[in-house]
Amino acid sequence: MDRRRFLTLSALTPAAAVLATGDPAFAMPEGDGRSRPAGRHRFGFAADGSAFLLDGKPFQIRSGELHPARIPVQYWRHRIRMAKAMGINTIALYIMWNHIEERPGVFDFRTDRRDIARFIRLCQAEGMWVLLRPGPYVCAEWDLGGIPPYLLRHPDIRLRVGSAADPRYMAAVTRYYRQLVPRIRPLMAAHGGPVLMVQIENEYGSYGKDHAYLEELRQLWIDGGVPGPFYTQDGLWQVEINHTNVPGGAIGLSGGDAGAIAAARTAFPAAPVLAGEVYPGWLTHWGEPGFQGQDTDLSATLRAFMEGGLSFNLYMIHGGTNFGFFAGANANDQSGDYQADITSYDYCAPITEQGVATARYTAYRDLIARYLPSPPPKVPAPVPTLARAGHRALLPRPFASVWDNLPAPLPGDRTVEPRPMETYGQNSGFILYRKTLSGFTGGTLDIAWVHDYATVFVNGAYQGGFSRQNIPPALAERLRVTNNDRPLPLRTPAAAEDARLDIFVEGMGRTNYGHAMVDRKGILESVRLTGTGAPSGPLTGWEVFLLPMDERYVRSLRHRITDPGRPGLFFRCDLTLKRTGDTYLDMSGWSKGVVWVNGHNLGRYWEIGPQHRLYCPAPWLRRGRNEILIFDHHRTRAEPISFADTLG
């Protein structure tokens, strides 16, 4: 994406309850075969670049972007049908490489939200074409722009470069493509599938201009039996300056409108052009005053597309959710001004995070329909929710302490100096650095650098913390958390003694756009204590504990809290349901942490907002007992959790 602007339960009927649970009865019937893009088709370009052609006839791509990784599998068909009912005929989708290959050489194209081929076949069953955007880099406000963090274990790694610049990166890309391309080949339109075009990289003109790199990527597809058609995606200015299109390929424009398409056609008269990212909303960072993009109106832009028969893709038509630890971040090219993205990817899109048609959806649908030979399909019924008025708030109880659930430390020869989590093979979550200080008499803690949020303890007593992202001064003062990597004064003990220093670090979203993408998590370089009596020089000889807080770790938690007054607690409560439905957990009384429901990681919450409610889809709930688990950085006493049916 272009960054140039930097619960009444009884109210549900039994049938509605089945719809919301993901029960087999919820599986919608196959789409109308008469509208299905079945059989082999020829998709290509007019010789003069003036049009896209389907089976030799001009074809307008009316696309909406959906990301399978951000949508519960049980709702894939519903969201595709919602897009179709708005007058859309094509689905654009990113493939997040790091969601498919979390460990080197271990690929998962099958479980949960990773079955890309199944999603594409669902698009075809619903009579929809597909624009495929497979990376290796996608941006997308996704952690590291979709590139696997395991590559960051190399201290000098270079990303988004060709083999000549860094063969390690391209070797990993090649391994990924050799797994991916054979799965996509039978899904191309020429082989009877719905995929019209494959995008080569993503917005590379905003990053570099190494044409050999783009050609290496294109050739991997060709070698795998997919000769095209291809296209690239860039801002108009970037593609005009850097010429980051590929030979014989189409051009997608970020933020494009009818005027930008005309300008690109003038600059590249042989290439067909589409507005590849048209923004009906915008992304939101933690700490911003509200959800961004609420005032966007695309009516005039869409009208010009429809009147001119111009092709376009709405980014996003439905945003979905950054479940787990996959939300990304933005920073400047020196990695400063860090801003992590919120968990919700609602994007103020025409279809909300929960799948509801907004007023703009209706307006855009009516506008597009005026130019179509037949009306769009009926809008699907909304997925039922747990109404906010029908379920009382829950009060969780302390369940476990992270300090009583530490794994074995890493071997000491690997932790003489503190290193980022990627060095130790961890992709996301938390990491603890522990050091015994002999004869400690106080001092000031200076860390270079904390990525991204840390709490600090001496002999179990909370001292304060560090935040890479600026937080409001009043909150920083209340929590004794420093901004901008400023040193943290530690409380002076009554007498010199051996003291245990704990630095507990959360890695938040990795930078997903720009030249500061090598964004490692944890402590990057060194830790020092300064002041009278403090040890001089960098502190060495650490114990390091890896805490990915993945499903395995959460399942293995022991119900134990040795020190209930020490922050770093898990809280738990049970929710008993007669019927299920989509809901939002309101965490507005809490500080900063993560929520799991029945083992599913809903994502992060943070009191700085603007998001205070986390989306919980009905398929992740069950009739009867449900477990809600919360980890909070700062709270030692629980606050109530209430339920809502909207994001805010």
Side-chain angles (χ1 to χ4, degrees):
M1 149 172 283
D2 187 0
R3 296 296 178 289
R4 287 173 294 170
R5 49 180 179 134
F6 203 120
L7 274 21
T8 301
L9 304 181
S10 59
L12 290 176
T13 66
V18 171
L19 176 71
T21 60
D23 184 281
F26 174 47
M28 297 183 182
E30 293 295 315
D32 180 356
R34 291 172 298 176
S35 62
R36 192 179 307 171
R40 296 173 181 265
H41 292 271
R42 291 179 294 108
F43 181 80
F45 316 140
D48 62 357
S50 61
F52 295 99
L53 301 178
L54 182 62
D55 295 328
K57 298 178 181 179
F59 179 74
Q60 182 192 29
I61 299 169
R62 302 188 305 277
S63 176
E65 186 113 3
L66 300 175
H67 297 156
R70 286 177 158 133
I71 305 168
V73 173
Q74 296 86 344
Y75 291 161
W76 281 358
R77 192 186 294 272
H78 177 266
R79 305 308 195 249
I80 294 166
R81 286 187 165 185
M82 288 291 295
K84 184 175 182 177
M86 208 180 92
I88 297 300
N89 63 12
T90 304
I91 298 296
L93 66 120
Y94 278 137
I95 301 177
M96 282 53 164
W97 175 18
N98 59 17
H99 196 225
I100 300 295
E101 190 195 9
E102 296 191 37
R103 291 183 291 145
V106 180
F107 291 89
D108 183 356
F109 284 97
R110 184 177 57 84
T111 66
D112 199 22
R113 304 181 305 280
R114 298 175 177 88
D115 194 342
I116 302 300
R118 179 186 174 193
F119 182 86
I120 293 173
R121 287 193 296 269
L122 280 175
C123 291
Q124 184 172 24
E126 294 301 325
M128 302 291 274
W129 301 98
V130 169
L131 297 178
L132 189 69
R133 312 180 72 188
Y137 165 79
V138 298
C139 187
E141 286 71 64
W142 190 264
D143 186 73
L144 198 55
I147 296 173
Y150 68 71
L151 285 168
L152 303 185
R153 72 185 188 276
H154 302 295
D156 57 343
I157 192 70
R158 296 181 63 188
L159 306 177
R160 303 182 72 187
V161 296
S163 296
D166 197 319
R168 297 165 299 184
Y169 169 72
M170 275 306 300
V173 172
T174 301
R175 183 174 63 224
Y176 164 51
Y177 273 22
R178 285 177 177 167
Q179 290 286 326
L180 175 65
V181 176
R183 290 173 165 84
I184 299 303
R185 184 177 180 273
L187 298 171
M188 297 298 297
H191 295 282
V195 179
L196 301 177
M197 291 194 293
V198 175
Q199 183 179 304
I200 301 298
E201 236 263 0
N202 185 56
E203 295 181 335
Y204 188 65
S206 300
Y207 186 85
K209 52 182 179 181
D210 182 357
H211 298 95
Y213 167 56
L214 296 179
E215 181 56 29
E216 279 191 81
L217 297 177
R218 189 177 78 105
Q219 194 61 46
L220 286 172
W221 284 94
I222 295 171
D223 292 345
V226 178
F230 300 117
Y231 77 108
T232 53
Q233 179 72 33
D234 273 306
L236 175 61
W237 182 85
Q238 285 85 354
V239 72
E240 285 180 332
I241 296 297
N242 291 324
H243 289 262
T244 43
N245 55 315
V246 295
I251 295 172
L253 297 178
S254 297
D257 56 16
I261 290 176
R265 290 280 298 121
T266 299
F268 302 93
V273 180
L274 73 154
E277 287 191 0
V278 182
Y279 307 122
W282 198 245
L283 64 120
T284 300
H285 300 113
W286 289 112
E288 290 181 334
F291 298 108
Q292 304 301 297
Q294 297 182 74
D295 298 329
T296 304
D297 183 359
L298 289 179
S299 297
T301 301
L302 285 174
R303 187 176 299 109
F305 290 150
M306 297 305 298
E307 288 177 352
L310 302 174
S311 292
F312 62 89
N313 173 47
L314 298 180
Y315 187 103
M316 302 288 296
I317 196 168
H318 163 66
T321 310
N322 296 311
F323 295 116
F325 298 125
F326 281 108
N330 284 302
N332 64 29
D333 283 345
Q334 288 73 46
S335 198
D337 297 326
Y338 174 82
Q339 293 178 289
D341 298 323
I342 64 173
T343 296
S344 173
Y345 202 59
D346 180 89
Y347 210 82
C348 287
I351 305 167
T352 70
E353 179 179 27
Q354 196 264 329
V356 175
T358 65
R360 280 181 289 178
Y361 175 98
T362 303
Y364 299 160
R365 180 177 188 268
D366 292 344
L367 188 157
I368 292 171
R370 290 199 292 270
Y371 297 87
L372 302 180
S374 58
K378 183 180 178 181
V379 178
V383 176
T385 61
L386 301 181
R388 71 180 72 182
H391 200 282
R392 62 183 177 83
L394 299 177
L395 184 64
R397 294 186 177 184
F399 170 71
S401 170
V402 70
W403 312 106
D404 295 314
N405 284 274
L406 295 178
L410 293 171
D413 60 351
R414 299 182 62 194
T415 60
V416 174
E417 297 175 332
R419 289 289 179 258
M421 64 174 65
E422 296 85 356
T423 303
Y424 306 121
Q426 180 173 315
N427 286 343
S428 57
F430 302 75
I431 184 168
L432 171 64
Y433 303 87
R434 174 171 285 174
K435 167 72 177 172
T436 298
L437 306 173
S438 299
F440 177 69
T441 59
T444 298
L445 191 63
D446 192 354
I447 304 179
W449 314 88
V450 171
H451 282 195
D452 298 293
Y453 191 88
T455 50
V456 179
F457 302 82
V458 173
N459 287 342
Y462 177 72
Q463 304 292 307
F466 296 82
S467 181
R468 180 183 180 192
Q469 175 161 340
N470 281 346
I471 62 176
L475 177 63
E477 182 178 358
R478 172 165 61 84
L479 297 177
R480 300 192 74 240
V481 170
T482 74
N483 285 319
N484 297 317
D485 293 301
R486 288 196 298 270
L488 175 70
L490 303 180
R491 294 186 176 92
T492 304
E497 56 180 323
D498 286 350
R500 189 179 67 193
L501 172 65
D502 285 330
I503 306 171
F504 181 70
V505 184
E506 176 188 8
M508 298 189 67
R510 290 181 181 84
T511 305
N512 55 254
Y513 180 83
H515 289 272
M517 285 185 60
V518 178
D519 184 6
R520 298 180 178 91
K521 299 305 177 183
I523 293 176
L524 269 58
E525 294 182 8
S526 63
V527 181
R528 294 174 181 265
L529 267 179
T530 61
T532 304
S536 59
L539 299 179
T540 58
W542 293 84
E543 286 185 293
V544 175
F545 304 81
L546 301 181
L547 294 155
M549 293 203 185
D550 53 14
E551 291 181 9
R552 178 182 300 180
Y553 177 83
V554 169
R555 283 198 308 267
S556 67
L557 282 173
R558 293 173 296 165
H559 180 28
R560 184 179 179 188
I561 303 176
T562 302
D563 183 357
R566 182 178 185 180
L569 298 182
F570 292 87
F571 300 81
R572 191 175 75 176
C573 61
D574 290 343
L575 172 65
T576 301
L577 297 175
K578 294 180 180 179
R579 300 182 179 92
T580 66
D582 282 2
T583 192
Y584 283 82
L585 276 64
D586 192 325
M587 304 300 296
S588 55
W590 294 73
S591 179
K592 186 181 194 304
V594 185
V595 177
W596 295 262
V597 173
N598 294 330
H600 297 278
N601 188 331
L602 301 189
R604 301 181 180 96
Y605 63 86
W606 198 356
E607 62 183 305
I608 66 174
Q611 180 178 5
H612 297 287
R613 298 172 178 176
L614 293 177
Y615 174 54
C616 180
W620 293 2
L621 295 168
R622 52 186 174 235
R623 298 171 186 173
R625 176 182 170 274
N626 295 267
E627 180 189 79
I628 300 174
L629 183 72
I630 305 109
F631 174 78
D632 195 286
H633 272 283
H634 295 286
R635 297 208 63 84
T636 56
R637 297 180 61 184
E639 292 292 330
I641 298 174
S642 57
F643 300 88
D645 53 12
T646 62
L647 174 61

